[in-house]
Amino acid sequence: MNFKKGSSDAIISLMGEGVEIVGEVSFTQGVKIDGVNKGNVKSDASLVVGSKGKVEADVAVRRISIGGEFKGTIHASERVEILKEGKVFGDLYTPCLIIEAGAVFEGKCNMSDRKATKVEEGSLLKVVEPPADGAKAAGNDKS
């Protein structure tokens, strides 16, 4: 990722190899993970999972670039980028998804605006009861 210096995209913190964090992580400037992170990650900045990084988490960030391994759910307000060495197993919620050739992605991606498509859960299902008298359903009568 090409980040501008001084912005919240600038990577100023590094969680190196040999470091494992379990729990909730939050930050205000960009972070790169080359270690292991398990839990929750929340930020309005960017997250980079390096080629040696492993993340098992529910993540809510502005941008994420994955060159290592990720398992969990990602909510990215700007974009998700899976690099050619990256492996992602989980669901993505983002308006922009970039997957390089050679990358692995197993999961679902929702790219719609959740505010614009908000629908009451009850309106998604329609239950159709079979006729009480055992009559054949309309359109299925082949007599």
Side-chain angles (χ1 to χ4, degrees), residues 31-65:
V31 170
K32 180 176 181 184
I33 297 175
D34 277 323
V36 177
N37 183 288
K38 297 178 181 180
N40 296 315
V41 178
K42 294 181 183 178
S43 179
D44 288 329
S46 296
L47 174 65
V48 174
V49 179
S51 60
K52 297 177 182 177
K54 292 186 179 186
V55 176
E56 256 184 72
D58 289 328
V59 172
V61 293
R62 192 161 57 85
R63 293 177 148 197
I64 184 168
S65 175

mmCIF file of all heavy atoms in Angstrom, residues 31-65:
data_model
loop_
_atom_site.group_PDB
_atom_site.id
_atom_site.type_symbol
_atom_site.label_atom_id
_atom_site.label_comp_id
_atom_site.label_asym_id
_atom_site.label_seq_id
_atom_site.Cartn_x
_atom_site.Cartn_y
_atom_site.Cartn_z
ATOM 1 N N VAL A 31 -0.774 0.474 11.750
ATOM 2 C CA VAL A 31 -0.050 -0.596 12.433
ATOM 3 C C VAL A 31 0.214 -1.723 11.447
ATOM 4 O O VAL A 31 -0.647 -2.057 10.631
ATOM 5 C CB VAL A 31 -0.862 -1.138 13.633
ATOM 6 C CG1 VAL A 31 -0.238 -2.398 14.211
ATOM 7 C CG2 VAL A 31 -0.993 -0.082 14.711
ATOM 8 N N LYS A 32 1.410 -2.316 11.541
ATOM 9 C CA LYS A 32 1.745 -3.506 10.768
ATOM 10 C C LYS A 32 1.950 -4.657 11.737
ATOM 11 O O LYS A 32 2.648 -4.523 12.743
ATOM 12 C CB LYS A 32 3.011 -3.292 9.942
ATOM 13 C CG LYS A 32 3.375 -4.521 9.115
ATOM 14 C CD LYS A 32 4.568 -4.270 8.220
ATOM 15 C CE LYS A 32 4.860 -5.525 7.406
ATOM 16 N NZ LYS A 32 6.067 -5.365 6.578
ATOM 17 N N ILE A 33 1.329 -5.801 11.409
ATOM 18 C CA ILE A 33 1.430 -6.987 12.263
ATOM 19 C C ILE A 33 2.226 -8.054 11.526
ATOM 20 O O ILE A 33 1.830 -8.513 10.458
ATOM 21 C CB ILE A 33 0.030 -7.533 12.626
ATOM 22 C CG1 ILE A 33 -0.753 -6.497 13.444
ATOM 23 C CG2 ILE A 33 0.154 -8.859 13.370
ATOM 24 C CD1 ILE A 33 -2.184 -6.890 13.750
ATOM 25 N N ASP A 34 3.359 -8.448 12.109
ATOM 26 C CA ASP A 34 4.137 -9.581 11.620
ATOM 27 C C ASP A 34 4.159 -10.685 12.670
ATOM 28 O O ASP A 34 4.806 -11.699 12.483
ATOM 29 C CB ASP A 34 5.567 -9.166 11.265
ATOM 30 C CG ASP A 34 5.655 -8.562 9.875
ATOM 31 O OD1 ASP A 34 4.943 -9.043 8.974
ATOM 32 O OD2 ASP A 34 6.433 -7.615 9.685
ATOM 33 N N GLY A 35 3.441 -10.473 13.753
ATOM 34 C CA GLY A 35 3.323 -11.470 14.809
ATOM 35 C C GLY A 35 1.958 -12.132 14.745
ATOM 36 O O GLY A 35 1.382 -12.292 13.669
ATOM 37 N N VAL A 36 1.431 -12.481 15.916
ATOM 38 C CA VAL A 36 0.128 -13.146 16.021
ATOM 39 C C VAL A 36 -0.801 -12.266 16.840
ATOM 40 O O VAL A 36 -0.420 -11.776 17.905
ATOM 41 C CB VAL A 36 0.270 -14.534 16.684
ATOM 42 C CG1 VAL A 36 -1.081 -15.196 16.862
ATOM 43 C CG2 VAL A 36 1.211 -15.419 15.874
ATOM 44 N N ASN A 37 -2.010 -12.066 16.332
ATOM 45 C CA ASN A 37 -3.011 -11.282 17.045
ATOM 46 C C ASN A 37 -4.313 -12.059 17.068
ATOM 47 O O ASN A 37 -4.800 -12.480 16.014
ATOM 48 C CB ASN A 37 -3.215 -9.932 16.352
ATOM 49 C CG ASN A 37 -4.185 -9.057 17.098
ATOM 50 O OD1 ASN A 37 -5.371 -9.325 17.095
ATOM 51 N ND2 ASN A 37 -3.690 -8.027 17.731
ATOM 52 N N LYS A 38 -4.872 -12.253 18.258
ATOM 53 C CA LYS A 38 -6.159 -12.947 18.417
ATOM 54 C C LYS A 38 -7.069 -12.067 19.254
ATOM 55 O O LYS A 38 -6.675 -11.623 20.319
ATOM 56 C CB LYS A 38 -5.977 -14.297 19.108
ATOM 57 C CG LYS A 38 -5.125 -15.275 18.326
ATOM 58 C CD LYS A 38 -4.938 -16.580 19.076
ATOM 59 C CE LYS A 38 -4.054 -17.534 18.293
ATOM 60 N NZ LYS A 38 -3.855 -18.797 19.002
ATOM 61 N N GLY A 39 -8.289 -11.828 18.764
ATOM 62 C CA GLY A 39 -9.234 -11.013 19.526
ATOM 63 C C GLY A 39 -9.965 -10.029 18.653
ATOM 64 O O GLY A 39 -10.474 -10.385 17.603
ATOM 65 N N ASN A 40 -9.991 -8.769 19.075
ATOM 66 C CA ASN A 40 -10.677 -7.699 18.344
ATOM 67 C C ASN A 40 -9.692 -6.586 18.020
ATOM 68 O O ASN A 40 -8.831 -6.262 18.836
ATOM 69 C CB ASN A 40 -11.835 -7.115 19.163
ATOM 70 C CG ASN A 40 -12.919 -8.137 19.419
ATOM 71 O OD1 ASN A 40 -13.314 -8.870 18.526
ATOM 72 N ND2 ASN A 40 -13.392 -8.196 20.654
ATOM 73 N N VAL A 41 -9.869 -5.994 16.827
ATOM 74 C CA VAL A 41 -9.036 -4.863 16.430
ATOM 75 C C VAL A 41 -9.967 -3.755 15.971
ATOM 76 O O VAL A 41 -10.837 -3.979 15.129
ATOM 77 C CB VAL A 41 -8.075 -5.245 15.276
ATOM 78 C CG1 VAL A 41 -7.268 -4.035 14.848
ATOM 79 C CG2 VAL A 41 -7.167 -6.392 15.689
ATOM 80 N N LYS A 42 -9.799 -2.550 16.543
ATOM 81 C CA LYS A 42 -10.640 -1.405 16.189
ATOM 82 C C LYS A 42 -9.772 -0.190 15.952
ATOM 83 O O LYS A 42 -8.904 0.125 16.759
ATOM 84 C CB LYS A 42 -11.631 -1.096 17.307
ATOM 85 C CG LYS A 42 -12.662 -2.177 17.527
ATOM 86 C CD LYS A 42 -13.624 -1.803 18.628
ATOM 87 C CE LYS A 42 -14.606 -2.941 18.872
ATOM 88 N NZ LYS A 42 -15.530 -2.642 19.959
ATOM 89 N N SER A 43 -10.035 0.510 14.822
ATOM 90 C CA SER A 43 -9.288 1.719 14.529
ATOM 91 C C SER A 43 -9.913 2.470 13.366
ATOM 92 O O SER A 43 -10.588 1.879 12.530
ATOM 93 C CB SER A 43 -7.842 1.381 14.175
ATOM 94 O OG SER A 43 -7.135 2.561 13.868
ATOM 95 N N ASP A 44 -9.656 3.779 13.312
ATOM 96 C CA ASP A 44 -10.029 4.590 12.160
ATOM 97 C C ASP A 44 -8.827 4.740 11.235
ATOM 98 O O ASP A 44 -8.855 5.538 10.310
ATOM 99 C CB ASP A 44 -10.524 5.966 12.607
ATOM 100 C CG ASP A 44 -11.898 5.892 13.252
ATOM 101 O OD1 ASP A 44 -12.681 5.011 12.860
ATOM 102 O OD2 ASP A 44 -12.171 6.708 14.145
ATOM 103 N N ALA A 45 -7.783 3.972 11.483
ATOM 104 C CA ALA A 45 -6.562 4.039 10.679
ATOM 105 C C ALA A 45 -6.414 2.753 9.863
ATOM 106 O O ALA A 45 -7.355 1.976 9.728
ATOM 107 C CB ALA A 45 -5.358 4.238 11.612
ATOM 108 N N SER A 46 -5.213 2.553 9.335
ATOM 109 C CA SER A 46 -4.939 1.407 8.473
ATOM 110 C C SER A 46 -4.218 0.305 9.230
ATOM 111 O O SER A 46 -3.420 0.560 10.132
ATOM 112 C CB SER A 46 -4.076 1.834 7.291
ATOM 113 O OG SER A 46 -4.783 2.747 6.493
ATOM 114 N N LEU A 47 -4.485 -0.930 8.794
ATOM 115 C CA LEU A 47 -3.841 -2.111 9.358
ATOM 116 C C LEU A 47 -3.206 -2.885 8.220
ATOM 117 O O LEU A 47 -3.825 -3.091 7.176
ATOM 118 C CB LEU A 47 -4.875 -2.985 10.073
ATOM 119 C CG LEU A 47 -4.387 -4.325 10.607
ATOM 120 C CD1 LEU A 47 -3.343 -4.130 11.713
ATOM 121 C CD2 LEU A 47 -5.564 -5.138 11.142
ATOM 122 N N VAL A 48 -1.956 -3.304 8.413
ATOM 123 C CA VAL A 48 -1.260 -4.138 7.451
ATOM 124 C C VAL A 48 -0.901 -5.439 8.156
ATOM 125 O O VAL A 48 -0.279 -5.424 9.221
ATOM 126 C CB VAL A 48 0.029 -3.452 6.923
ATOM 127 C CG1 VAL A 48 0.817 -4.407 6.032
ATOM 128 C CG2 VAL A 48 -0.325 -2.187 6.174
ATOM 129 N N VAL A 49 -1.323 -6.561 7.568
ATOM 130 C CA VAL A 49 -0.922 -7.871 8.060
ATOM 131 C C VAL A 49 0.228 -8.302 7.157
ATOM 132 O O VAL A 49 0.026 -8.587 5.974
ATOM 133 C CB VAL A 49 -2.084 -8.888 8.015
ATOM 134 C CG1 VAL A 49 -1.614 -10.245 8.514
ATOM 135 C CG2 VAL A 49 -3.268 -8.386 8.832
ATOM 136 N N GLY A 50 1.436 -8.306 7.714
ATOM 137 C CA GLY A 50 2.631 -8.626 6.940
ATOM 138 C C GLY A 50 2.672 -10.086 6.524
ATOM 139 O O GLY A 50 1.860 -10.908 6.962
ATOM 140 N N SER A 51 3.640 -10.436 5.699
ATOM 141 C CA SER A 51 3.738 -11.792 5.154
ATOM 142 C C SER A 51 3.912 -12.852 6.238
ATOM 143 O O SER A 51 3.536 -14.000 6.038
ATOM 144 C CB SER A 51 4.888 -11.872 4.151
ATOM 145 O OG SER A 51 6.110 -11.552 4.776
ATOM 146 N N LYS A 52 4.440 -12.481 7.395
ATOM 147 C CA LYS A 52 4.612 -13.426 8.502
ATOM 148 C C LYS A 52 3.539 -13.259 9.572
ATOM 149 O O LYS A 52 3.546 -13.955 10.566
ATOM 150 C CB LYS A 52 6.001 -13.260 9.104
ATOM 151 C CG LYS A 52 7.083 -13.586 8.091
ATOM 152 C CD LYS A 52 8.450 -13.363 8.641
ATOM 153 C CE LYS A 52 9.458 -13.660 7.540
ATOM 154 N NZ LYS A 52 10.823 -13.419 7.947
ATOM 155 N N GLY A 53 2.599 -12.342 9.341
ATOM 156 C CA GLY A 53 1.550 -12.071 10.323
ATOM 157 C C GLY A 53 0.407 -13.068 10.254
ATOM 158 O O GLY A 53 0.058 -13.572 9.189
ATOM 159 N N LYS A 54 -0.156 -13.349 11.438
ATOM 160 C CA LYS A 54 -1.342 -14.198 11.547
ATOM 161 C C LYS A 54 -2.325 -13.493 12.461
ATOM 162 O O LYS A 54 -2.004 -13.162 13.597
ATOM 163 C CB LYS A 54 -0.988 -15.574 12.114
ATOM 164 C CG LYS A 54 -0.153 -16.404 11.168
ATOM 165 C CD LYS A 54 0.050 -17.808 11.687
ATOM 166 C CE LYS A 54 0.876 -18.591 10.678
ATOM 167 N NZ LYS A 54 0.992 -19.978 11.039
ATOM 168 N N VAL A 55 -3.529 -13.264 11.937
ATOM 169 C CA VAL A 55 -4.549 -12.559 12.708
ATOM 170 C C VAL A 55 -5.809 -13.407 12.738
ATOM 171 O O VAL A 55 -6.286 -13.854 11.700
ATOM 172 C CB VAL A 55 -4.859 -11.172 12.092
ATOM 173 C CG1 VAL A 55 -5.995 -10.492 12.833
ATOM 174 C CG2 VAL A 55 -3.614 -10.296 12.101
ATOM 175 N N GLU A 56 -6.322 -13.642 13.948
ATOM 176 C CA GLU A 56 -7.610 -14.300 14.168
ATOM 177 C C GLU A 56 -8.432 -13.315 14.962
ATOM 178 O O GLU A 56 -8.277 -13.204 16.177
ATOM 179 C CB GLU A 56 -7.426 -15.581 14.996
ATOM 180 C CG GLU A 56 -7.513 -16.853 14.207
ATOM 181 C CD GLU A 56 -7.417 -18.069 15.093
ATOM 182 O OE1 GLU A 56 -8.391 -18.354 15.831
ATOM 183 O OE2 GLU A 56 -6.372 -18.723 15.050
ATOM 184 N N ALA A 57 -9.296 -12.562 14.266
ATOM 185 C CA ALA A 57 -9.962 -11.455 14.959
ATOM 186 C C ALA A 57 -11.183 -10.968 14.210
ATOM 187 O O ALA A 57 -11.385 -11.275 13.041
ATOM 188 C CB ALA A 57 -8.975 -10.293 15.122
ATOM 189 N N ASP A 58 -11.964 -10.182 14.927
ATOM 190 C CA ASP A 58 -13.001 -9.357 14.326
ATOM 191 C C ASP A 58 -12.373 -7.974 14.219
ATOM 192 O O ASP A 58 -11.962 -7.397 15.229
ATOM 193 C CB ASP A 58 -14.258 -9.324 15.192
ATOM 194 C CG ASP A 58 -14.994 -10.650 15.184
ATOM 195 O OD1 ASP A 58 -14.948 -11.341 14.147
ATOM 196 O OD2 ASP A 58 -15.596 -10.999 16.208
ATOM 197 N N VAL A 59 -12.269 -7.473 12.995
ATOM 198 C CA VAL A 59 -11.539 -6.244 12.736
ATOM 199 C C VAL A 59 -12.474 -5.174 12.200
ATOM 200 O O VAL A 59 -13.280 -5.439 11.303
ATOM 201 C CB VAL A 59 -10.401 -6.516 11.722
ATOM 202 C CG1 VAL A 59 -9.743 -5.223 11.287
ATOM 203 C CG2 VAL A 59 -9.372 -7.464 12.302
ATOM 204 N N ALA A 60 -12.359 -3.961 12.734
ATOM 205 C CA ALA A 60 -13.082 -2.791 12.237
ATOM 206 C C ALA A 60 -12.051 -1.686 12.059
ATOM 207 O O ALA A 60 -11.563 -1.114 13.036
ATOM 208 C CB ALA A 60 -14.174 -2.366 13.210
ATOM 209 N N VAL A 61 -11.670 -1.424 10.786
ATOM 210 C CA VAL A 61 -10.647 -0.431 10.465
ATOM 211 C C VAL A 61 -11.076 0.359 9.233
ATOM 212 O O VAL A 61 -12.085 0.054 8.609
ATOM 213 C CB VAL A 61 -9.269 -1.090 10.204
ATOM 214 C CG1 VAL A 61 -8.703 -1.712 11.463
ATOM 215 C CG2 VAL A 61 -9.355 -2.112 9.082
ATOM 216 N N ARG A 62 -10.268 1.351 8.888
ATOM 217 C CA ARG A 62 -10.544 2.125 7.675
ATOM 218 C C ARG A 62 -10.059 1.360 6.458
ATOM 219 O O ARG A 62 -10.783 1.195 5.488
ATOM 220 C CB ARG A 62 -9.880 3.492 7.758
ATOM 221 C CG ARG A 62 -10.353 4.436 6.680
ATOM 222 C CD ARG A 62 -10.072 5.891 7.028
ATOM 223 N NE ARG A 62 -8.683 6.157 7.286
ATOM 224 C CZ ARG A 62 -7.794 6.434 6.332
ATOM 225 N NH1 ARG A 62 -8.146 6.472 5.083
ATOM 226 N NH2 ARG A 62 -6.555 6.684 6.662
ATOM 227 N N ARG A 63 -8.814 0.879 6.506
ATOM 228 C CA ARG A 63 -8.210 0.119 5.408
ATOM 229 C C ARG A 63 -7.441 -1.050 5.997
ATOM 230 O O ARG A 63 -6.881 -0.937 7.079
ATOM 231 C CB ARG A 63 -7.206 0.963 4.629
ATOM 232 C CG ARG A 63 -7.787 2.080 3.865
ATOM 233 C CD ARG A 63 -6.667 2.852 3.207
ATOM 234 N NE ARG A 63 -7.152 3.400 1.960
ATOM 235 C CZ ARG A 63 -6.369 3.839 0.997
ATOM 236 N NH1 ARG A 63 -5.069 3.773 1.126
ATOM 237 N NH2 ARG A 63 -6.888 4.329 -0.099
ATOM 238 N N ILE A 64 -7.373 -2.134 5.218
ATOM 239 C CA ILE A 64 -6.558 -3.271 5.631
ATOM 240 C C ILE A 64 -5.902 -3.880 4.404
ATOM 241 O O ILE A 64 -6.522 -3.993 3.346
ATOM 242 C CB ILE A 64 -7.369 -4.323 6.416
ATOM 243 C CG1 ILE A 64 -6.463 -5.451 6.929
ATOM 244 C CG2 ILE A 64 -8.527 -4.864 5.598
ATOM 245 C CD1 ILE A 64 -7.127 -6.361 7.947
ATOM 246 N N SER A 65 -4.629 -4.226 4.547
ATOM 247 C CA SER A 65 -3.868 -4.899 3.511
ATOM 248 C C SER A 65 -3.345 -6.195 4.122
ATOM 249 O O SER A 65 -2.719 -6.173 5.191
ATOM 250 C CB SER A 65 -2.697 -4.015 3.054
ATOM 251 O OG SER A 65 -1.899 -4.713 2.125
#
